Amino acid sequence: QVQLVESGGGSVQAGGSLSLSCAASGYTVVNSCMGWFRQPPGKEREEVARIFLPAGNTRYADSVKGRFTIYRDMSKNALFLQMNSLKPEDTAMYYCAALVCGVTGSPRYWGQGTQVTVSS
């Protein structure tokens, strides 16, 4: 059974940082394409970042480029999202996902989400 469990969300002031984690069980993160998505209040879910195989290339939404970093940790079998210079518009529920590999690979499994709130 695949489980993805996010943690690390919280409330922070604009300009601050948060680090989100996604612990996987029943699934090997380092051998998989993975991604982070978010759903702001009243809006649709959107992709934030994804990491590809085999070289671990990454892709980011324009709105977070230069501020967010997605990476994997083999020893922890986990996916991370380091978020710096946070803005109020980053407020959302954040989800990690195991993806079908490919440029537009769709999510196969979802975590339950972790809330990020950025105040001005």
Side-chain angles (χ1 to χ4, degrees), residues 16-60:
S17 298
L18 284 173
S19 182
L20 304 185
S21 303
C22 174
S25 58
Y27 204 79
T28 304
V29 169
V30 72
N31 292 335
S32 306
C33 297
M34 303 289 296
W36 286 97
F37 294 72
R38 68 185 181 187
Q39 186 165 16
K43 297 184 179 181
E44 293 190 353
R45 194 175 298 189
E46 61 185 10
E47 180 175 324
V48 175
R50 69 170 63 197
I51 187 164
F52 295 92
L53 290 173
N57 294 343
T58 56
R59 185 178 75 197
Y60 297 91

Side-chain angles (χ1 to χ4, degrees), residues 11-100:
S11 297
V12 65
Q13 289 193 326
S17 298
L18 284 173
S19 182
L20 304 185
S21 303
C22 174
S25 58
Y27 204 79
T28 304
V29 169
V30 72
N31 292 335
S32 306
C33 297
M34 303 289 296
W36 286 97
F37 294 72
R38 68 185 181 187
Q39 186 165 16
K43 297 184 179 181
E44 293 190 353
R45 194 175 298 189
E46 61 185 10
E47 180 175 324
V48 175
R50 69 170 63 197
I51 187 164
F52 295 92
L53 290 173
N57 294 343
T58 56
R59 185 178 75 197
Y60 297 91
D62 288 343
S63 58
V64 306
K65 278 181 185 175
R67 300 188 298 121
F68 290 12
T69 302
I70 185 173
Y71 62 99
R72 293 179 287 219
D73 187 319
M74 179 175 66
S75 65
K76 298 178 180 178
N77 195 32
L79 180 73
F80 297 88
L81 185 69
Q82 177 64 41
M83 305 187 296
N84 298 327
S85 302
L86 283 161
K87 304 175 180 181
E89 51 264 42
D90 294 319
T91 294
M93 184 71 78
Y94 282 73
Y95 300 88
C96 76
L99 305 172
V100 174

